[in-house]
Amino acid sequence: MAFHIEYAAEGRYRLRGQLLASEVPGAASALDGATGDVELDLADLQYVSSAGLRLFIRTQARLLDGGHRLRLINPSDHVRDLLEVTGLDQIFDLDGA
């Protein structure tokens, strides 16, 4: 399944498909412009590569530096398992997990 990122509402993005390393530059372009508190809806995200996880970490660090936060909401079972195995569930604000 192809990867898509769409701006859903104020500060909220929906990620769908597989976030492969080859898709990270496009996703970064969308998220690098995000300001304020940001939510990533991961309900339809089936796979995240290590490069995708790095993008999440980088985005969170940038937002925290500006006094804002990144929330990962509705992670799919696979993505939630990946976050738990890597320990990233301890550093990200997860909702619906």
Side-chain angles (χ1 to χ4, degrees), residues 28 30-36 38 56-68:
L31 295 178
D32 285 349
T35 59
V38 174
F56 293 167
I57 293 166
R58 189 182 79 206
T59 301
Q60 175 171 276
R62 180 180 61 78
L63 292 171
L64 287 173
D65 283 348
H68 300 285

Side-chain angles (χ1 to χ4, degrees), residues 15-67:
L15 284 67
R16 298 169 195 233
Q18 299 181 357
L19 182 50
L20 305 172
S22 61
E23 302 288 353
V24 168
S29 292
L31 295 178
D32 285 349
T35 59
D37 291 340
V38 174
E39 292 182 341
L40 301 182
D41 186 339
L42 308 179
D44 296 319
L45 189 64
Q46 298 170 342
Y47 174 82
V48 182
S49 68
S50 59
L53 292 176
R54 190 169 48 251
L55 173 62
F56 293 167
I57 293 166
R58 189 182 79 206
T59 301
Q60 175 171 276
R62 180 180 61 78
L63 292 171
L64 287 173
D65 283 348

